[in-house]
Amino acid sequence: QPLRVAVTFANTWRVGGDELTAEERSHLAGTALDAMRAAFAGFDVVIAEAPSGARLIRVEDTPPVRTTFGAAGVTYPAARTSSVRFDVLANLELAVVHCRDLAHCAAMPRAALVDGLGRGVGATAAHELGHQAGFRFALDSRCDDCYDGRASTSYAHFFGRMHWSDPALQIIVRTLPRREGQTRGSTSPPPTT
């Protein structure tokens, strides 16, 4: 049986004071789903945008009582649902490239920032799935370009090639169903600029 993971976007689609266009929202959501699929390439994991499912990733903004820096993802013990904090990731991405907002960024064009944010959402979603009940392959390792890394504050998290650490991959191989003819998870596609 494949593992079916639903991803729902319940965020405001704002990066600071700037609201993303409909086209940017669609691109970012597609990029996030593709990044998450890349994290589980070779495994029988079906990831689709849906409002609910046996396993669920909710992309949402931080509740108003919290700061916009902090945990980029939240998964409670024994949960089959995780939260990915869109606003936290947007702020982290801007901090990584030393920009104050999408409109004033000498480091890269707006389209590349939107694409990078999608990758960051997908990488964080893959990590949070690893914290859900029965999995435990998100090891919070000291690795900036690992899906199971402890932080989402690196350039690689948004713009680089991501992979699972060897210990995490060993757990994934024992835990997740494999696609026929596949033996290892692969890395995400290289960044586009």
Side-chain angles (χ1 to χ4, degrees), residues 10-11 29 68 100 146 172 175 186:
N11 54 304
T68 53
R100 63 179 182 172
C146 291
I172 292 170
T175 307
S186 70

Side-chain angles (χ1 to χ4, degrees), residues 110-151:
R110 182 180 173 113
L113 290 169
V114 170
D115 192 65
L117 184 52
R119 289 171 182 270
V121 168
T124 303
H127 176 97
E128 291 305 317
L129 183 65
H131 280 305
Q132 288 188 7
F135 294 152
R136 306 294 180 231
F137 50 79
L139 302 176
D140 294 328
S141 61
R142 293 180 185 219
C143 175
D144 287 344
D145 61 348
C146 291
Y147 293 111
D148 57 300
R150 69 170 51 178

Side-chain angles (χ1 to χ4, degrees), residues 16-92:
D18 197 359
E19 187 169 350
L20 298 182
T21 66
E23 184 179 333
E24 288 172 330
R25 293 176 189 190
S26 177
H27 178 77
L28 192 149
T31 300
L33 294 171
D34 287 346
M36 195 175 176
R37 289 179 187 122
F40 298 105
F43 296 93
D44 204 1
V45 178
V46 178
I47 297 163
E49 189 173 352
S52 63
R55 301 285 179 160
L56 177 65
I57 304 290
R58 286 181 50 83
V59 179
E60 56 193 1
D61 295 316
T62 307
V65 296
R66 309 236 181 212
T67 177
T68 53
F69 279 97
V74 177
T75 305
Y76 293 105
R80 293 176 181 263
T81 299
S82 299
S83 175
V84 171
R85 305 292 195 197
F86 184 83
D87 56 327
V88 172
L89 286 165
N91 288 332
L92 290 172

